[in-house]
Amino acid sequence: MAQGDIQNKAQEVKNAASEKATELGNKASETAEQAKHTAQEKKEQASNKMQEMSNDASTTGEQKSNEAGSTLESAKNTVAENFEAAKNTVSEKATEAANFVKEKTGMDQ
């Protein structure tokens, strides 16, 4: 091979290598940019999910608090109703007992 042919071949190889390096560099840049966008999207999705979960937890906590308050109020009302019923029953039974004594003894107590 002549000196000129060797130089031409070397230049061709150099140009081909340069083109390939540029192509690979561009591809790497594209991939890095896609990865950056994907990471940003995933970060936003995670942030949104965490906010959603936080909101759900807050809502659930508020609901549970309301339910507990409602249950407590219901229990308080039931206790009051039962107390009133017991008081009326005791009063009725006392009256019945007094009437029984009056009837059997013929006396007013």
Side-chain angles (χ1 to χ4, degrees):
M1 242 196 231
Q3 182 69 23
D5 289 340
I6 293 174
Q7 287 178 339
N8 286 341
K9 193 63 171 172
Q11 189 60 45
E12 284 177 27
V13 169
K14 180 181 171 187
N15 290 344
S18 178
E19 285 178 24
K20 194 64 170 174
T22 300
E23 183 182 317
L24 291 173
N26 289 342
K27 187 67 175 171
S29 291
E30 278 180 37
T31 302
E33 193 63 28
Q34 288 173 348
K36 178 180 161 188
H37 287 297
T38 301
Q40 184 63 33
E41 287 173 6
K42 294 295 181 189
K43 178 183 170 189
E44 288 172 8
Q45 288 173 354
S47 177
N48 290 342
K49 187 65 175 176
M50 286 180 64
Q51 185 62 48
E52 183 181 316
M53 289 170 68
S54 175
N55 290 345
D56 287 350
S58 177
T59 299
T60 299
E62 187 176 338
Q63 287 171 341
K64 293 296 181 191
S65 177
N66 290 342
E67 288 171 13
S70 179
T71 301
L72 181 61
E73 188 65 28
S74 176
K76 188 171 81 172
N77 290 340
T78 300
V79 167
E81 289 168 6
N82 289 345
F83 177 77
E84 193 62 33
K87 187 172 79 171
N88 290 340
T89 300
V90 167
S91 179
E92 288 171 9
K93 295 300 177 188
T95 301
E96 286 177 21
N99 289 339
F100 178 79
V101 168
K102 283 182 195 177
E103 184 182 309
K104 295 297 179 188
T105 62
M107 299 174 46
D108 286 340
Q109 295 292 327

